[in-house]
């Protein structure tokens, strides 16, 4: 008689030094079910899944796979037994090609010789299933955008005959079109009887795709059940112990004089972008992945060469290095927090204050305790979950890392904030908090250029929105005049018109 | 050359290294001979000092360049034999100086008898110790032919003095002064009651001298070294050094070039297969005699 | 940098650039030093002179691609020459002695690999330790002196007058070429090779994807050791003695060849052709300058300038051809 | 505060571990080699012997933390001794000669920094080139031989009998200690130091945060060069001559000290105390083994084993005490 559950995790515990990440978690998933795992940043979701995929050894508890004892000694054994995981942090080998990355560790080979044709065939199939057959199989992944890299990672899960597939925030850099294709793939997996564990901070996604859900809170199960039977506010309450009064708090913020102007800007990946950003304005930029939004921000910030046109900050026109831009009060939040956004081995306090150490200098000497105190202030202000200001950033959960990156801009007190996917990987409650923060910043006269692939937040937070398509930035319009549908049409429709 | 002057011979002189007073003296002697014989001189050591493989490469380069003759101070008696044989095959004769070479592919071997030099050092040390006491010998490096022969000569001879005990003979000073200095310090710390010291080349002698000076033992411990340099001459004068075994590198260079040129100009000229340039001991007493003076300070500046 | 359309152009340059640098330097020296430099005889000589470093660089290429480093190669070469000489002295047939020399390299490499994977220390420290250990072993085994071995055909492996003259260059050069091709093929077309790249590129990822990181590293260091043992055989062939002081400091030359050839010390990048070009480049510079009889200190300065210059040239070329 | 115990626990280990390894090794040798080893006189000797490598390791610590490497330090030391000797011979007062020696180190370091930031090559290649260039310059400047300089108080800087005897150790040792404190403070408490850590940890992040990466690197290499110049002064003080062959291969000892002391060759990690402990460790091993009169080859083997052992000990301790 087959076991009723594909995977059973019973009483799992895991502590990192003084931090208890898992405190007796139970999770059971039957075959052919999509099970959502939700919870605050740092609740222990990724840790639980790392235990499942053999990356972390639990301190206590046991697991069963189809009724058999299951205690993987490492990722290899987990994969062998049909447990496949897509990790939250991008995990690619930058020097290998797309195809090699997709099949890393399970290359088709005979006696040690790689069968390239088969390898490419399998990789192509996997990408095609995700609707991205166009990604070049021979390109080294270091040359791909973050979004494309995430697709490559997703493709990894599809080339194996898996029994359990774990997706840890797979959509944080995906656009809507890719999302629906991903859901199709998940449904196909479900039909084949695969158990899918799906971690996401987007509750609407969860509602769309999951059958059941479990909420984790402080390393414990805080509830769960069938998706159909729970409404959103109850889930949120399970997550954070209270209701969120308002997701997108609207704070009145009058706009003032222009502080950032782009005139027909062209840069690698950007064909033409013109915009005027005013003091107190929250300007949203929507688009598909690869539209060149990130490149536009990077060109403004001096990380990419400007090929044509100009950038004007306040009254000063001309190119600038990142250091000069920061001195002018322009700050950039990178979409790639692991590769660029944060120095992983440095402490939280160092990362948070790196761009502006001046306040802690006493006669040229750094007052480290003042620095730590300031960092602690921010940790409390935007509720970063961290054991202290001097812990290295890599020991924080993904969402908390993102908050540290954002806190750096706030700490720097930038007048113009260039935010590239600022809420990537951040939980619902914190998102609401960040939206409120952005509103308050606008109130105090800051200008915000807000790039996001998450349309509800663009519509909810921004004053004006423009859509970028294939390197061209379209006309801006007040947020009230946009709908999700209109944005998607602008992002894709323009693409078809251009052909 | 398309000039109508008679073709000038080119002679390559290949030392073991270039940055040392000893090789400067050989160089100067070679220049003297080159001037007298009107030949062109190429002075080329291995780029990495004391590297056998690189010296082999230099010999090969000179063969490729088709010099007319080679004067070589081989770093390795066996390893350099083949390139010298290949040079001979290519019609380029070689004279070996300073340190021996296996085989028969060279014209003549011009050098100090290093073994004898080591024995001279032992005798001098025994003499100033009056045949009584405990001594240490610091070696240079593993596998270096000429210094190993000196070390052996020293050990063999010192055995003839029953009142002298060798406390340590297995520590290597290495090729730089600093490593010799540190080894010297460690030896002196280990044997605080040592009476005499022998070092078989310039760098170990100088390193040991620094260690003795540092420990306040210079002059008190009887000290015999090998080869000369300005600092060592000064130490000899101050009686911090009691003997220096001297070779005649200037003469080696001079004879080396002259011999190979003679052979090239007259391949049938009779040439001795082994020429000893001699070794003597300089002491604080005899250091100002003209013969010793000339060995202590070879006329380098006159030629370089 | 994001430059996706370049995917195909991407694989060639790493080696092509250094080959270009090599060609430029060769040309310049040919103009300057004339026929003695570019004569066929000197070309053969330079090839022969490069073999030891080149063979060592083959192994180092593997190790560096996998994100490691091996400082102990110089000592391994010395140990290998000593073992070969001892074997010959003990009456072993030359073939067996040669195999013993290669094998001892493999054993040393395996030890390095074992320690690197077991102790969890950076390879820099491990191989710094084994640098001393292997050197000590070589010295001890040799009785603290060079070991004279009977002359056999092993000493003819790098001769400049190969006996069937149609072979053009010595058998040692041909063997090195064959090994180079083998290593290149392993890197490109085997699971081991691709896993080496993956580990060097991102070890955590490789582990997550089920690559047996420890085992692959062990293999890589062992193969690297075997190739270094071969370099030791070549060294023996050239020196004709077992020499415990041989190849001191050669690790720097070998690593430099790989890096000049486009290898990255942080792993994931490197190519066989590039490393060979790097080894040849250094020989060409040395030979050319030596032939002109410039003083050694001038030669040092010029070598430094040329190395930096050649690699800069490579980079500039890659950039102008590269981005956009 | 609930987080203070963790934060403090977090800062110490990098250096504390190597200090522990140091203490263990010292203890073992004291037991084994007895009073001649742990006598005050030998302690002073060992401190004096460590000074040159330790001073060089201070500069290297900065450079390695910033994600760089400097292979040219040995050559810089040699060049510095030659410049000092030349200056003294030319009649310069000792103080000026000493400053000239330190300054030439600074100039060399600045050149390294300039090339590293301008040519866009990995520092390994650049400093491999300047290793040869500086060595060539030293040899050329010295006329290819040791330069005898008049004896001055510079040669007393590392004496083992300091003149007011309450100073305990020579002024050179004290200067090194002061410099070490200065470097540690710079790393901990200045913008430059924090920026160096940031660049070594993640250069892209540093750039994003407005760190003037090029300028910081230039400063770091220059300061590193000045410290190396000071190491050259110490070397001169010990040798009393300008020696163009001095400190050959010392770059490996210096880098090893930093790595043994917890520095990471991929940047972002390293500590002054650790590097000093690394330098002392190597001296202690050499002195202790030498004191027991073990043959040199056994000494090599044991040194290798002890280095690996001490660092393994450090790692194990860190693992059992620290997180994960
Ligand atoms: N390697 C580690 N070392 C120390 N602490 C860790 C480590 N990994 C995770 N933690 C801690 O464990 C807790 C749970 O982290 P986890 O990554 O599982 O959270 P999460 O639920 O996935 O959060 P997010 O939604 O932000 O991704 C956090 O407090 C985190 O700081
Ligand atoms: N699917 C893809 N396949 C290949 N190349 C892609 C792909 N997506 C993006 N790129 C490359 O990345 C560049 C755009 O980068 P990027 O995706 O960061 O832009 P973006 O608009 O900021 O998108 P997002 O931030 O949503 O990922 C394009 O010029 C293209 O070369
Ligand atoms: Mg997570
Ligand atoms: Mg983007």
């Amino acid at each position: 008689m087959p076991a009723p559950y594909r995977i059973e995790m019973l009483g799992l515990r895991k502590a990192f030094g003084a931090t208890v990440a898992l405190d007796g978690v139970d999770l059971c998933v039957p075959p052919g079910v999509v099970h959502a795992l939700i919870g605050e940043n740092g609740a222990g979701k990724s840790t639980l899944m790392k235990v499942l995929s053999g990356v972390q050894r639990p301190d206590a508890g046991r697991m069963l796979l189809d009724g058999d004892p299951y205690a993987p000694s490492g990722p290899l054994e987990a994969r062998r037994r049909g447990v496949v995981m897509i990790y939250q942090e991008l995990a690619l080998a930058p020097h290998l090609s797309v195809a090699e990355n997709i099949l890393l560790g399970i290359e088709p080979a005979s006696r040690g010789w790689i069968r390239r044709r088969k390898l490419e065939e399998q990789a192509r199939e996997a990408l095609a299933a995700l609707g991205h057959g166009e990604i070049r199989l021979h390109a080294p992944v270091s040359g791909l955008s973050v979004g494309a890299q995430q697709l490559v990672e997703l493709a990894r899960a599809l080339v194996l005959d898996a029994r359990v597939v774990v997706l840890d925030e797979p959509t944080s850099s995906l656009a809507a079109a890719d999302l629906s294709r991903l859901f199709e793939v998940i449904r196909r997996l479900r039909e084949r009887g695969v158990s899918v564990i799906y971690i996401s901070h987007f509750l609407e996604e969860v509602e769309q795709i999951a059958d059941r859900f479990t909420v984790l809170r402080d390393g414990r199960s805080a509830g769960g059940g069938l998706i159909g039977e729970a409404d959103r506010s109850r889930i949120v309450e399970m997550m954070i112990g209270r209701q969120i009064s308002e997701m997108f708090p609207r704070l009145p913020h009058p706009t003032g004089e222009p502080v950032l102007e782009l005139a027909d800007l062209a840069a690698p990946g950007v064909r033409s972008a013109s915009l005027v950003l005013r003091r107190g304005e929250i300007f949203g930029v929507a688009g598909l992945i690869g539209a060149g939004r990130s490149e536009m921000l990077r060109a403004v910030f001096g990380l990419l060469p400007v090929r044509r046109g100009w950038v004007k900050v306040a009254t000063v026109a001309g190119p600038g290095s990142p250091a000069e831009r920061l001195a002018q009060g322009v700050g950039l939040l990178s979409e790639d927090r692991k590769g660029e956004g944060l120095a992983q081995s440095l402490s939280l306090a160092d990362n948070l204050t790196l761009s502006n150490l001046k306040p802690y200098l006493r006669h040229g000497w750094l007052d480290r305790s003042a620095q730590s105190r300031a960092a602690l202030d921010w940790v409390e202000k935007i509720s970063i979950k961290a054991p202290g200001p001097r812990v290295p950033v890599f020991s924080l959960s993904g969402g908390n890392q993102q908050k540290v990156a954002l806190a750096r801009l706030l700490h720097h007190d930038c007048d113009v904030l260039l935010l590239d996917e600022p809420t990537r990987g951040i939980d619902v409650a914190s998102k609401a908090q960040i939206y409120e923060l952005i509103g308050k910043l606008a109130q105090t006269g800051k200008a915000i250029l807000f790039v996001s692939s998450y349309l509800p937040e663009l519509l909810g937070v921004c004053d004006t929105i423009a859509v970028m398509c294939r390197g061209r930035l379209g006309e801006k319009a007040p947020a009230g005049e946009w709908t999700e549908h209109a944005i998607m049409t602008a992002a894709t429709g323009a693409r078809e018109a251009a052909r | 050359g398309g000039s109508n002057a008679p073709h000038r011979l080119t002679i390559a002189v290949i030392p073991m290294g270039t940055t040392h007073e000893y090789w400067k003296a050989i160089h100067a002697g070679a220049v003297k001979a080159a001037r007298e014989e009107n030949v062109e001189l190429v002075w080329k050591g291995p780029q990495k000092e004391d590297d056998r493989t690189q010296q082999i490469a230099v010999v090969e380069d000179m063969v490729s360049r088709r010099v007319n003759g080679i004067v070589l101070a081989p770093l390795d008696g066996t390893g350099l034999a083949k390139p010298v044989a290949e040079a001979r095959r290519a019609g380029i004769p070689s004279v070996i100086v300073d340190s021996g070479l296996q085989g028969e592919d060279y014209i003549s071997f011009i050098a100090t008898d290093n073994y004898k030099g080591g024995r001279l050092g032992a005798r001098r040390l025994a003499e100033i110790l009056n045949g009584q006491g405990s001594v240490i010998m610091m070696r240079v490096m593993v596998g270096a032919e000429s210094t190993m022969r000196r070390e052996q000569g020293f050990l063999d001879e010192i055995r003839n003095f029953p009142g002298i005990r060798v406390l340590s003979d297995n520590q290597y000073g290495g090729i730089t002064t600093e490593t010799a200095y540190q080894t010297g310090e460690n030896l002196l710390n280990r044997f605080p009651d040592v009476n005499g010291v022998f070092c078989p080349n310039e760098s170990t002698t100088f390193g040991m001298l620094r260690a003795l000076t540092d420990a306040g033992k210079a002059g008190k411990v009887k000290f015999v070294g090998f080869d000369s340099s300005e600092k060592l001459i000064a130490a000899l004068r101050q009686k911090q050094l009691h003997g220096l075994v001297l070779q005649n590198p200037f003469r080696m260079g001079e004879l080396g070039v002259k011999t190979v040129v003679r052979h090239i100009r007259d391949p049938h000229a009779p040439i001795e297969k082994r020429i000893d340039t001699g070794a003597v001991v300089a002491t604080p007493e005899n250091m100002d005699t003209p013969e010793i003076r000339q060995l202590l300070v070879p006329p380098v500046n006159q030629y370089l | 940098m994001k430059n996706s359309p370049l995917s195909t152009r991407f694989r060639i340059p790493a080696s092509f650039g250094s080959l270009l640098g090599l060609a430029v330097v060769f040309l310049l020296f040919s103009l300057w030093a004339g026929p003695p430099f570019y004569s066929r005889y000197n070309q053969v000589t330079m090839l022969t002179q490069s073999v030891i470093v080149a063979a060592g660089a083959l192994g180092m290429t593997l190790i560096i691609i996998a994100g490691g480093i091996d400082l102990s190669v110089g000592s391994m070469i010395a140990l290998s020459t000593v073992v070969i000489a001892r074997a010959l002295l003990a009456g072993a047939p030359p073939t067996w002695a040669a195999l013993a020399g290669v094998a001892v390299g493999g054993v040393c490499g395996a030890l390095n690999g074992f320690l690197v994977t077991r102790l969890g220390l950076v390879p820099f420290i491990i191989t710094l330790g084994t640098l001393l250990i292997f050197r000590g072993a070589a010295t001890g085994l040799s009785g603290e002196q060079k070991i004279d071995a009977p002359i056999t055909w092993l000493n003819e492996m790098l001769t400049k007058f190969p006996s069937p003259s149609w072979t053009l260059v010595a058998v040692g050069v041909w063997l090195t070429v064959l090994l180079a091709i083998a290593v290149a093929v392993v890197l490109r077309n085997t699971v081991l090779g691709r896993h080496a790249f993956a580990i060097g590129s991102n070890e955590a990822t490789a582990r997550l994807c089920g690559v047996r990181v420890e085992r692959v590293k062990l293999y890589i260091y062992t193969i690297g050791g075997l190739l270094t043992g071969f370099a030791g055989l070549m060294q023996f062939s050239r020196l004709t003695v077992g020499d415990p002081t041989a190849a001191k400091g050669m690790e720097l030359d070998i690593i430099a060849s790989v890096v000049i050839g486009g290898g990255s010390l942080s792993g994931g990048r490197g190519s066989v052709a590039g490393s060979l070009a790097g080894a040849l480049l250094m020989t060409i510079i040395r030979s050319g300058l030596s032939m002109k009889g410039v003083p050694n200190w001038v030669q040092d300065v010029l070598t430094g300038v040329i190395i930096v210059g050649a690699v800069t040239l490579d980079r500039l070329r890659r950039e102008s051809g590269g981005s956009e």
Side-chain angles (χ1 to χ4, degrees), chain A residues 123-450:
Chain A
R124 190 173 304 119
E125 270 171 28
L127 283 174
L130 289 167
H132 278 272
E134 88 285 355
I135 295 182
R136 306 179 59 134
L137 294 175
H138 296 290
V141 295
S142 54
L144 297 186
S145 69
V146 174
Q149 290 184 2
Q150 192 153 44
L151 289 168
V152 171
E153 282 223 61
L154 281 176
R156 268 190 191 156
L158 307 180
V159 290
L160 264 186
D161 261 338
R163 291 201 270 181
V164 180
V165 172
V166 180
L167 303 171
D168 193 352
E169 299 189 34
T171 57
S172 56
S173 332
L174 285 191
D178 295 307
L179 191 63
S180 58
R181 265 189 297 250
L182 174 66
F183 284 178
E184 261 167 51
V185 172
I186 292 178
R187 286 191 193 106
R188 246 178 286 145
L189 288 174
R190 176 167 59 190
E191 277 156 28
R192 293 213 312 252
V194 177
S195 301
V196 179
I197 302 180
Y198 190 91
I199 301 180
S200 178
H201 291 297
F202 297 105
L203 294 183
E204 60 276 21
E205 276 178 18
V206 168
E207 282 164 0
Q208 224 179 320
I209 189 70
D211 307 308
R212 322 180 115 260
F213 73 96
T214 294
V215 175
L216 279 193
R217 194 169 148 204
D218 291 334
R220 267 176 247 210
S221 311
L226 291 173
I227 280 288
E229 295 169 1
D231 69 350
R232 217 181 270 192
S233 59
R234 233 182 58 78
I235 297 179
V236 170
E237 197 178 342
M238 278 186 213
M239 275 171 62
I240 59 174
R242 59 182 164 83
Q243 297 274 342
I244 293 178
S245 48
E246 204 183 356
M247 193 66 197
F248 301 111
R250 280 271 168 202
L251 301 172
H253 47 272
T255 56
E257 78 279 6
V259 283
L260 178 70
E261 282 179 65
L262 312 189
D264 192 26
L265 183 77
V270 182
R271 289 204 260 169
S272 166
S274 306
L275 65 80
V276 178
L277 182 66
R278 294 172 180 283
R279 195 173 282 287
E281 184 180 26
I282 307 176
F283 188 123
V285 180
L288 302 179
I289 56 163
R293 296 164 299 169
S294 299
E295 280 72 6
M296 177 177 76
L297 297 191
R298 298 175 73 78
V300 169
F301 197 61
L303 286 167
L304 284 179
V306 172
R307 296 240 173 91
R308 194 187 64 226
W310 44 260
V311 178
K312 187 160 141 191
V313 179
T315 53
V316 192
S321 68
E324 286 159 359
R325 287 291 183 238
L326 276 166
Q328 291 169 339
V330 180
L332 173 71
L333 179 76
S334 171
E335 66 179 332
D336 178 9
R337 70 168 167 257
K338 195 177 182 189
E340 182 179 45
L342 295 166
Q344 294 279 340
S345 60
L346 290 194
S347 70
L348 188 160
D350 277 327
N351 268 289
L352 209 151
T353 55
L354 184 56
S355 65
N356 183 14
L357 288 167
K358 281 221 184 69
Y360 315 109
L361 293 184
R362 308 269 174 277
H363 314 291
W365 300 106
L366 194 65
D367 181 349
R368 280 168 65 93
S369 56
Q371 189 194 17
S372 293
R373 278 195 304 275
L376 215 52
D377 271 358
W378 283 102
V379 164
E380 270 153 28
K381 227 182 268 178
I382 59 174
S383 18
I384 298 173
K385 192 170 170 188
R390 290 284 167 200
V391 296
V393 156
F394 65 73
S395 72
L396 301 183
S397 82
N400 284 304
Q401 291 185 15
Q402 186 70 21
K403 289 187 192 171
V404 174
L406 185 59
R408 176 164 62 224
L409 293 195
L410 304 179
H411 171 267
H412 191 89
D413 198 20
C414 298
D415 294 327
V416 180
L417 291 87
L418 310 174
L419 306 182
D420 199 355
E421 313 280 2
T423 60
R424 195 176 149 207
I426 286 190
D427 69 44
V428 183
S430 306
K431 264 182 198 157
Q433 215 179 342
I434 286 173
Y435 300 145
E436 190 180 346
L437 203 68
I438 290 174
K440 278 188 191 151
L441 288 172
Q443 232 174 2
T444 57
K446 312 283 185 201
I448 291 138
L449 198 54
F450 193 131

Side-chain angles (χ1 to χ4, degrees), chain B residues 267-283:
Chain B
H268 302 294
I271 292 175
E272 276 178 85
K273 197 76 184 175
R274 174 75 174 85
I275 301 172
D276 187 355
T277 46
V280 293
V281 180
T283 63

Side-chain angles (χ1 to χ4, degrees), chain B residues 124 236 242-246 280-287 292 296:
Chain B
R124 170 67 184 163
L236 200 60
H242 305 86
L244 266 183
V245 184
L246 295 182
V280 293
V281 180
T283 63
E285 294 79 40
N286 74 2
M287 67 183 292
I292 300 291
L296 278 173

